Amino acid sequence: MLSWRTPAISGTIGGSSLARAKSALAVPVPRRLQSSQAVESPGTRRLEWRLDGRKLPPWRTKRRDYEPFSPSAVILERLYARESRMTREQWELFRDIASKRSTRLPVMTAQMLLRQEEASLRTSLSGLLTDDDGSETDSNWDKRLEILAHTGITEQHLQHWVWILQGKTADERVQRFLSGDTYKPMFLLFIMIHKAHTIFDRQLFVSLLDYVSTTYCQDRSQAAEPQRVYRSLSSRHNMTPAHFIEMLDRLVNQALRLCPEALVTIAEVVTCYLETKPVSPNSHDNGYSAQCRVFNRALFTFSRAANLRPLANTRYNWEAQKHLLAFSNSLKRPLIINESGYRAIQGVMVGREKSEDEAKVAIRSAKSWPPYREAWDGVDEQRRLEDDLSRAVKTGISAREAGYPDSELDRALGTLGGAVLGDGPTVQTRSTSFRARSGRRAAENVYKTWAAQVRATRNSQEAWAAFRRPPREGIRPSAWVYEEMFAKLFAYEVDDPASAVPGNAKEVMPVYQPGNLSEFEKWRLQPPTVAELYDHMLDSGVKPVGQVLRMLVANAESEGEVLRYLQDSPYQDFAAVVQERDRSCPPNEANFFQVEGLYRSVPRTVFGAYISFLCKMQRKVYSGHSYADHADSPVDNSYLRRALAVVSVRLRPELPEGRTYKPPWYDILRTMVMARTHGALVTVARGQVELFLNVFKWVRKHTGMDAMLLEIMCLSTGRVMAANFTKAANPPVVRPEAVYAAREERWWARHDAAGEEGRKTLASAWVESMAAFEEMQKPGSGIGGFHVYIYVRVLGMYGAVHEMVVVMRWVLARLEEGDQFNGGIEDGTSNHAYLLRAFGFAEAYGNECGRVDEVASIKARRRLLVEEGYPFTLGEMSKSDEEDVEFVMAIAEGWGKYAEDDVDGKIPW
């Protein structure tokens, strides 16, 4: 009998029942099957990690002791298949690894793990793990242990490694891995840092980096490890450049998902390895070529974009690359940068924020296409053409000077950088790096150049002009080119064109029409509509796939449009379930894997776009709902229920995708509270705030905490508190929490307040906000001035002055230690502006509450930072800031009255 576990998520969605909400988020986690007969049919679920371990050369696969698959990947698959239904493909892998009679450490460890599991619950694997004669003593196993003993590996080593692998979570396994001095082989380290082994604790990951540096990269003059009698136990000698490159790739994957700040630490590990790595006696150049190989591979690896806020975290990519380049320049014989190394540096330069000079060049461009430089004053007249080149373009020039010819990918990067040799100028546009085609498909890179030309424009009219001018005569646009054109058509116009810098954001600049153009010319230059461009794409023989399909689905205005896009794409099975309005979700035990296969038939980006569309439709329902002063009248939540049910099927926590792909959860959490009207959030006990809190805790537990979840939590809590203790204007405004109401108009001044259930829900929101911020205080969390500001406002709404002072002291301590708070110490950035607002808000709020001495100490420490050169001088508070402090204090006053009514102490302080 299969068992099903449902996450502890409670609450209601509008007028729906609690059972309905739980069924929408039910995540099936059946027990491990006890027999090889009761397994899923082939093809029901794709093997997650498949055989993606270290690829073996053909000559090794022919040897008897080396399997054509990676035993480490099988071990990792086993860790996450213990409590879920196994597919036949998985079971065959486990049978293969159990039947091997190899002395390889991963095989022996996997069999030891299976032996211990079989001791508690026997399956048909037991017969494969022992001798064929069925004797109690396994002579073959003992012989293999004797062979390993000659290399220094004992059965106690295997038992310790199995104990590490038996940890319940990835964090627990890493913690066991770092404990003790027992020798750990490289395959075990590679399992710990595999992309499917999802680490959530940032401090634990930093400790793992320290272990790698100490074990494999310590200075030759120091004893990196005890003198080993056996060569096989020498970690430093076993770490070849090929192994190090594989380890570097996995460490960077973990860092880009967990904490991009750790890229700098990984760069330090790379330079330490390059300094201390043992030189092979067969090396003809004293290891110099191997150093260059690792160096350039590291430059390429550090060019990858972060999973969360890739452009904002580009600064860490550059810091890591800069550390490697500084190390190379410090050598007597600098390391050679190859073509991919230059390209990686240029790709990071394209994503960096514009410098002051680059911003001036972008602003001083004429509004025609192609843009040309305008001289505004004598200083502009004296500038040379070379002074207008961006850092990305100068990097490309350095590559050509080093002897590497331009490729189509280099031309695409140059286009995004603002200039290509021999072509007209473009708009310097921030962008993440992209991969090039190679081999037989290398000719397709010309479409990358064309797509870059469309992207490096200021508005849809300029993009349309670039779209109609192919880089080579006779070629038709591909899906990449259509993707960039659709992006320009879907983009919003900037709010303040006078202060906006072209190429800095996804928003487009307004279209400039010279006064001497005829109406026919204006009509000729006008870009097509989305529907016209879509028909043009289909007529050209290009199907909506990949990012084009993602963009179309996410920006669709109706389910009919989504259905049309999916039916024109190769994903017909997914189109069928969308046409049925997701009636099969949540599935039952009998058809779960069939339904899961349908939702897994599309790429995860398209799946995320579909969830984003459902949330957008739900927001439209909320905005069209009639405004209620103090009643949470029933609202249609069908789109939100569908989104919850669909996400729970595909993004299950036992799958790597379910633990790492979080944008669908962001959309759902934003919709649940922040999309509701002011009046709909007044009576929190009858609303969906409780459900929001439970979903938030579930997502935090299974996917880990990050800066985006903290932001959603604080903003949602602020919305609910403002709705319950102030009265919005009628009709509602866009941001009701910013509307200040007179005392007699506040909700808490009335007698029909939310009651005890409402108090408990509001108190739970406070507790969750504090727990989330406490977790994000760990190094490498990525929080900035904006997160500090919104959290301080939440503390102010609850009247938590003491906690507010503690937070500001923590911020000062981080600043005194040199922490940049994600660019918060750089004048002119949004994080810096919000950090200043946080200081101003906390000091004004503290003075109003009588904490004069504590506020004075904060001001004194802040002045010391200013004397050291930090831009933290606060000006006079604006009228809006003063009103915001008064507004928050009014909410705190209302919450204080609720707290006084709670005589039984039921609110968790």
Side-chain angles (χ1 to χ4, degrees), residues 682-863:
V682 171
T683 310
V684 294
R686 293 204 306 269
Q688 58 197 75
V689 180
E690 185 178 352
L691 177 64
F692 165 81
L693 295 176
N694 285 279
V695 173
F696 176 84
K697 288 186 286 188
W698 192 86
V699 174
R700 175 187 171 188
K701 175 183 177 182
H702 293 287
T703 67
M705 190 65 195
D706 58 42
M708 189 66 71
L709 286 177
L710 175 65
E711 177 182 329
I712 295 172
M713 185 68 208
C714 291
L715 292 177
S716 300
T717 303
R719 283 292 311 277
V720 177
M721 289 294 289
N724 279 272
F725 299 110
T726 60
K727 181 179 179 180
N730 197 3
V733 294
V734 178
R735 295 183 60 190
E737 71 274 14
V739 178
Y740 182 73
R743 181 184 180 87
E744 60 273 8
E745 294 179 343
R746 298 174 196 158
W747 290 122
W748 60 265
R750 301 186 176 186
H751 297 290
D752 53 346
E756 181 180 346
E757 292 185 7
R759 291 197 300 269
K760 292 173 63 176
T761 303
L762 294 176
S764 298
W766 182 19
V767 171
E768 289 301 320
S769 299
M770 289 192 298
F773 188 81
E774 182 180 358
E775 186 172 347
M776 294 302 291
Q777 287 180 317
K778 297 178 181 179
S781 62
I783 63 174
F786 177 71
H787 304 95
V788 175
Y789 171 69
I790 59 177
Y791 179 64
V792 166
R793 284 188 82 247
V794 169
L795 292 179
M797 291 177 180
Y798 286 95
V801 188
H802 176 70
E803 285 80 3
M804 188 185 300
V805 172
V806 171
V807 169
M808 299 316 298
R809 287 175 177 171
W810 171 78
V811 171
L812 289 168
R814 292 275 299 269
L815 292 172
E816 290 165 353
E817 294 173 359
D819 195 306
Q820 297 186 0
F821 267 101
N822 200 16
I825 66 172
E826 300 175 7
D827 194 4
T829 62
S830 59
N831 265 320
H832 174 255
Y834 276 112
L835 200 56
L836 287 183
R837 293 188 67 181
F839 276 111
F841 180 90
E843 293 172 6
Y845 193 98
N847 285 329
E848 292 291 336
C849 295
R851 303 294 185 97
V852 180
D853 294 339
E854 294 173 331
V855 170
S857 65
I858 292 176
K859 288 183 177 179
R861 294 177 65 179
R862 182 170 50 77
R863 291 193 192 99

Side-chain angles (χ1 to χ4, degrees), residues 531-573:
E532 292 172 345
L533 183 64
Y534 183 75
D535 292 336
H536 184 277
M537 182 179 69
L538 294 182
D539 293 340
S540 300
V542 179
K543 287 189 175 182
V545 293
Q547 294 299 320
V548 175
L549 182 59
R550 178 199 65 80
M551 192 175 302
L552 290 170
V553 171
N555 291 278
E557 296 297 332
S558 66
E559 290 192 75
E561 289 186 17
V562 172
L563 189 59
R564 181 193 178 190
Y565 298 146
L566 292 174
Q567 288 175 342
D568 291 338
S569 72
Y571 313 114
Q572 302 296 327
D573 293 340

